[in-house]
Amino acid sequence: TVVNGTADLSNMTIPEKLKEKTAEDSASQSDEENAEELIENKTAPTNAKKGKRTEAVRVDRDRLDELIDLIGELVISESMVSADYQKMSNGANEGAAHTQLRKITRELQSLSLSLRMTPISGLFQKGKRVVRDLSRKLGKPVELVIEGGETELDKSVLDELSDPLVHLIRNSVDHGVECSVDDRSSAGKNETATITLRAFYQGGSIYVEIEDDGRGLDRDKLLARAIERGVIEPNANLTDDQIHNLIFEAGFSMAAKVTEVSGRGVGMDVVRRNIEALRGTVTIRSEQGKGTCISLRLPLTLAIIDGMVVRVQDQRYIIPTLNIVNQLRPEAEALSTINNSGEIVDVRGKNVPFHRLSKVFSLTGEEKEVTDSIIILVEENSRLVGLLVDEVVGQQQVVIKSLGASLSDSSEGIAGAAVMPDGEVGLILDLHGVLELACGTHAKQ
């Protein structure tokens, strides 16, 4: 008999009791197995192509980095083997085995780098809490919109991006959004401000943008504060981009008073340094009364770089292609000198300063004539500058090697090194450091 859904065993014989109990245990076990299978089906991702569930494996990060370093060494070794083969065969085409080796090496390289790729959505989600807390503290209704959260980038880049991104979000809420709802209403805007975080791929880089629909940057106030702080001269003639970039100067702040959120003049200069340390760039687009957009351009990975290999005397340097705008062989009539301390070249009617890498790095060999050399036009912090080199060797992907703590401190202007196909070492230029060195060299002269 069954009472309230439970079997009544009081009137049963012992064999009947055992039989009934076994049936209950079997049914209970079946229900548990069905529940576990249901949970597994919901939680375990499936491979759409093969129709199989995939499993995630936790791997120590140091081991993963070591694996990627070893594959980088394999890529270098393969390039060296290829160079040796070309010499031995007098430039003959590669054999089938060598072609297959190159293909497998490149696939291994691509696969290993993809292991460290992580969606940026986790980082963007942190922005929601920052916006919510600041919105309540400052009394500003603000909504955060996220676009492109599925975009992936290197875990190392993601970790270094966290603090700069949080600071930029805080700046957008505090400085970008109008102080009151009435100010937004009088400007014909919704009472609730919108801050958009977006990420997308473009041209081999990843772009992360923080955009608000607030009041934008006030050109006149920026100039007045910069002159007051002694950042620029009162009669300086600056473009809009140069004025907007003043907010990245050390100690510069537009806050009327120091608060818990802002006003200390510390932050935006650190943001720029951190992004440049990742081999990235920061640009600003702003329209007064409409809003501001700060765009971060970052490499997909820190392990490999697309570079232009150049030669200066007997040294080879690698310039990141992300910063290269153009290259040209200058004509004599396009060259001129300013106060014997700086050289400029006329590029389509625009005077562009250029620096000789031989002088920047104090090379003592014989210098070629400028008209027999190549000027590489690079963009650094919204500035167009030329670098004079003897020869452009070619473009190639290189595996970045750190110089180590002992060498990094004394290697200003150098971001790292790479082993070239012939086994020699090429130095990767840090353009910000190179230009700082160049300005110091001219100051001494």
Side-chain angles (χ1 to χ4, degrees):
T1 59
V2 178
V3 179
N4 294 330
T6 304
D8 184 5
L9 306 180
S10 58
N11 297 326
M12 293 185 181
T13 62
I14 292 178
E16 290 174 336
K17 291 179 180 179
L18 291 175
K19 184 177 180 180
E20 186 71 21
K21 182 64 175 172
T22 302
E24 289 182 9
D25 291 344
S26 178
S28 176
Q29 182 177 358
S30 177
D31 290 342
E32 290 177 359
E33 290 176 352
N34 291 337
E36 290 178 358
E37 183 178 358
L38 182 61
I39 292 173
E40 288 180 359
N41 288 337
K42 286 185 176 181
T43 57
T46 59
N47 189 322
K49 294 182 179 179
K50 298 180 180 180
K52 297 179 181 179
R53 289 198 302 268
T54 59
E55 296 182 2
V57 178
R58 295 180 64 89
V59 179
D60 183 76
R61 181 171 175 176
D62 292 337
R63 291 186 179 182
L64 183 59
D65 290 341
E66 186 177 353
L67 171 64
I68 293 174
D69 288 341
L70 287 173
I71 293 178
E73 295 289 345
L74 177 62
V75 172
I76 294 171
S77 299
E78 187 274 329
S79 298
M80 296 171 67
V81 169
S82 177
D84 289 343
Y85 180 85
Q86 293 290 333
K87 291 179 181 179
M88 294 173 61
S89 60
N90 295 323
N93 293 331
E94 297 178 349
H98 192 190
T99 302
Q100 182 68 7
L101 173 62
R102 180 186 295 273
K103 178 177 179 293
I104 293 173
T105 304
R106 292 296 181 264
E107 289 179 354
L108 264 176
Q109 185 184 41
S110 176
L111 179 61
S112 65
L113 293 178
S114 68
L115 296 177
R116 288 203 312 200
M117 301 300 281
T118 306
I120 202 173
S121 55
L123 183 58
F124 278 2
Q125 291 299 325
K126 294 181 181 179
K128 287 188 174 181
R129 181 172 182 176
V130 175
V131 170
R132 183 176 65 249
D133 292 347
L134 277 181
S135 176
R136 292 173 180 172
K137 181 180 292 186
L138 301 176
K140 299 178 180 181
V142 183
E143 176 188 10
L144 181 67
V145 177
I146 293 176
E147 299 176 0
E150 70 283 354
T151 306
E152 294 183 334
L153 71 163
D154 192 299
K155 183 67 165 61
S156 301
V157 179
L158 200 64
D159 292 341
E160 297 296 329
L161 184 61
S162 179
D163 290 344
L165 190 65
V166 168
H167 187 85
L168 292 175
I169 294 172
R170 291 167 65 89
N171 262 20
S172 291
V173 178
D174 186 28
H175 296 291
V177 176
E178 289 83 354
C179 296
S180 67
V181 174
D182 294 337
D183 291 340
R184 291 186 60 84
S185 299
S186 60
K189 301 179 182 179
N190 294 329
E191 293 185 354
T192 301
T194 301
I195 294 177
T196 304
L197 282 180
R198 71 171 63 90
F200 56 91
Y201 299 114
Q202 183 175 314
S205 303
I206 180 174
Y207 285 77
V208 179
E209 294 184 344
I210 304 92
E211 184 176 7
D212 63 70
D213 63 347
R215 52 194 165 191
L217 296 176
D218 190 319
R219 190 179 190 277
D220 296 333
K221 288 185 178 179
L222 276 172
L223 282 174
R225 182 58 62 91
I227 294 172
E228 176 188 338
R229 295 291 179 91
V231 177
I232 61 173
E233 297 294 331
N235 57 351
N237 185 18
L238 304 179
T239 64
D240 287 344
D241 289 340
Q242 290 173 328
I243 294 173
H244 294 161
N245 283 318
L246 289 173
I247 66 173
F248 292 114
E249 295 295 329
F252 192 88
S253 177
M254 291 295 294
K257 60 180 179 179
V258 177
T259 66
E260 294 181 5
V261 181
S262 62
R264 296 177 297 276
V266 177
M268 293 301 285
D269 59 322
V270 177
V271 167
R272 185 174 66 178
R273 281 203 306 270
N274 289 348
I275 298 301
E276 289 177 349
L278 294 172
R279 303 199 314 275
T281 58
V282 186
T283 56
I284 300 177
R285 303 189 305 271
S286 182
E287 187 176 352
Q288 190 170 346
K290 297 294 182 65
T292 303
C293 178
I294 298 180
S295 180
L296 313 178
R297 184 178 69 169
L298 298 162
L300 297 180
T301 177
L302 294 179
I304 291 179
I305 183 175
D306 282 318
M308 184 72 72
V309 183
V310 300
R311 185 181 61 81
V312 182
Q313 297 182 16
D314 59 348
Q315 298 290 330
R316 280 182 297 182
Y317 298 102
I318 300 164
I319 303 175
T321 55
L322 288 176
N323 300 97
I324 296 177
V325 177
N326 200 354
Q327 65 182 40
L328 57 93
R329 186 181 295 275
E331 301 290 340
E333 57 271 17
L335 301 171
S336 56
T337 304
I338 300 178
N339 297 329
N340 296 320
S341 61
E343 297 176 285
I344 61 174
V345 58
D346 184 359
V347 180
R348 302 187 186 91
K350 182 178 181 180
N351 290 328
V352 178
F354 70 91
H355 307 285
R356 302 172 186 241
L357 283 184
S358 58
K359 289 186 177 180
V360 172
F361 293 113
S362 303
L363 302 181
T364 57
E366 183 180 354
E367 290 192 17
K368 294 176 65 176
E369 292 291 335
V370 177
T371 52
D372 295 330
S373 305
I374 302 293
I375 294 180
I376 307 292
L377 297 178
V378 297
E379 187 176 28
E380 197 278 328
N381 192 24
S382 301
R383 291 182 296 172
L384 187 63
V385 184
L387 299 176
L388 187 71
V389 302
D390 293 343
E391 179 188 3
V392 175
V393 179
Q395 182 178 345
Q396 67 182 66
Q397 278 192 338
V398 295
V399 180
I400 300 173
K401 298 293 182 183
S402 174
L403 294 175
S406 59
L407 290 177
S408 296
D409 295 337
S410 59
S411 301
E412 190 177 356
I414 304 299
V419 180
M420 308 304 289
D422 59 1
E424 298 293 330
V425 174
L427 298 177
I428 302 170
L429 297 185
D430 170 20
L431 293 179
H432 180 74
V434 167
L435 297 182
E436 291 291 328
L437 276 176
C439 292
T441 302
H442 288 317
K444 291 178 182 178
Q445 294 175 348

